[in-house]
Amino acid sequence: KAGVTQTPRYLIKTRGQQVTLSCSPISGHRSVSWYQQTPGQGLQFLFEYFSETQRNKGNFPGRFSGRQFSNSRSEMNVSTLELGDSALYLCASSWKGTGNGNTIYFGEGSWLTVV
Amino acid sequence: DAKTTQPPSMDCAEGRAANLPCNHSTISGNEYVYWYRQIHSQGPQYIIHGLKNNETNEMASLIITEDRKSSTLILPHATLRDTAVYYCIVRMDSSYKLIFGSGTRLLVRP
């Protein structure tokens, strides 16, 4: 079956703009989480959604937000972009997010460059 | 903070086994050991996970010591395509997130 799908794969934005990234989880998976990867900070957890509810959020400013739809698809939004937001944004999905066997699978990511 | 310690880099010859160590001396009873790898510019790829027994799948084997304070990921016949950063992660059964450390950069030499 299809893996985690993220769109767009690459995008360039200007400082101050906002961006929306999309994620389609593996079919049947209800948990979707988002991660940011930068050379300096590595892979960091942003937030996780299950059944349209955000269950937890990492240590990121309020400019980073997300949502999940009834079909488990998810979007994340970054407003008022800063140069430091340039990163690989990764979406991951699992059946329910917790418990053994609920392995988390990642998409290929969306490369965001802020100029 | 990541609860694992891995060497920053390793290399091995193509066709030979690659043994990647991981120290997780503070692991608790309900934490699993997960391994992922990330090939340049791609998303992390799940490899294998285990609790206390050794595990094997089509990609690799995971050997966990009896005291569970360390583990080794074994790629039995490394190929050039196995060149990647390998992450060892401990994760509570009830946790919905992964905490990544710096990983081990494995270089497979021709």
Side-chain angles (χ1 to χ4, degrees), chain B residues 16 47 88 95 98:
Chain B
R16 305 298 294 268
I47 301 174
C88 169
S95 176
L98 299 169

Side-chain angles (χ1 to χ4, degrees), chain A residues 45-86:
Chain A
F45 172 79
L46 277 159
F47 30 65
E48 188 258 0
Y49 288 86
F50 181 81
S51 292
E52 303 178 65
T53 301
Q54 186 183 90
R55 294 198 287 194
N56 207 296
K57 185 175 180 180
N59 189 24
F60 281 84
R63 300 185 296 108
F64 292 81
S65 63
R67 60 178 176 169
Q68 187 181 33
F69 302 96
S70 59
N71 62 358
S72 295
R73 193 176 66 84
S74 177
E75 290 180 347
M76 69 161 285
N77 182 276
V78 187
S79 62
T80 319
L81 284 166
E82 302 176 359
L83 295 178
D85 297 332
S86 295

Side-chain angles (χ1 to χ4, degrees), chain A residues 9 35 37 43 45 48 55-56 88 90 97-108 111, chain B residues 32 34 36 38 41-46 49 87 91-101:
Chain A
R9 284 281 284 134
Y35 292 77
Q37 186 173 26
L43 268 154
F45 172 79
E48 188 258 0
R55 294 198 287 194
N56 207 296
L88 176 64
L90 292 156
T98 64
N100 182 34
N102 288 304
T103 302
I104 296 173
Y105 297 94
F106 286 82
E108 291 303 309
W111 283 96
Chain B
Y32 290 76
Y34 280 79
Y36 285 79
Q38 188 173 26
S41 299
Q42 298 181 19
Q45 177 188 23
Y46 166 77
H49 76 281
Y87 296 98
R91 175 189 171 199
M92 286 181 62
D93 193 45
S94 60
S95 176
Y96 41 76
K97 68 178 178 181
L98 299 169
I99 301 175
F100 288 82

Side-chain angles (χ1 to χ4, degrees), chain B:
Chain B
D1 291 340
K3 299 176 64 174
T4 62
T5 304
Q6 299 177 253
S9 64
M10 296 181 64
D11 65 63
C12 75
E14 188 177 20
R16 305 298 294 268
N19 298 287
L20 290 86
C22 179
N23 181 286
H24 32 80
S25 57
T26 61
I27 194 170
S28 59
N30 61 350
E31 288 183 315
Y32 290 76
V33 179
Y34 280 79
W35 283 83
Y36 285 79
R37 72 180 182 184
Q38 188 173 26
I39 297 170
H40 183 62
S41 299
Q42 298 181 19
Q45 177 188 23
Y46 166 77
I47 301 174
I48 197 167
H49 76 281
L51 181 62
K52 55 183 178 181
N53 298 319
N54 298 336
E55 302 288 345
T56 296
N57 63 19
E58 65 278 4
M59 290 184 66
S61 294
L62 174 61
I63 308 297
I64 302 174
T65 58
E66 191 168 344
D67 63 8
R68 303 213 317 128
K69 293 184 177 182
S70 65
S71 61
T72 301
L73 178 74
I74 301 173
L75 307 178
H77 306 286
T79 71
L80 299 179
R81 287 177 292 184
D82 291 323
T83 291
V85 178
Y86 287 77
Y87 296 98
C88 169
I89 299 167
V90 294
R91 175 189 171 199
M92 286 181 62
D93 193 45
S94 60
S95 176
Y96 41 76
K97 68 178 178 181
L98 299 169
I99 301 175
F100 288 82
S102 301
T104 296
R105 188 173 299 275
L106 174 69
L107 174 64
V108 180
R109 296 177 279 103

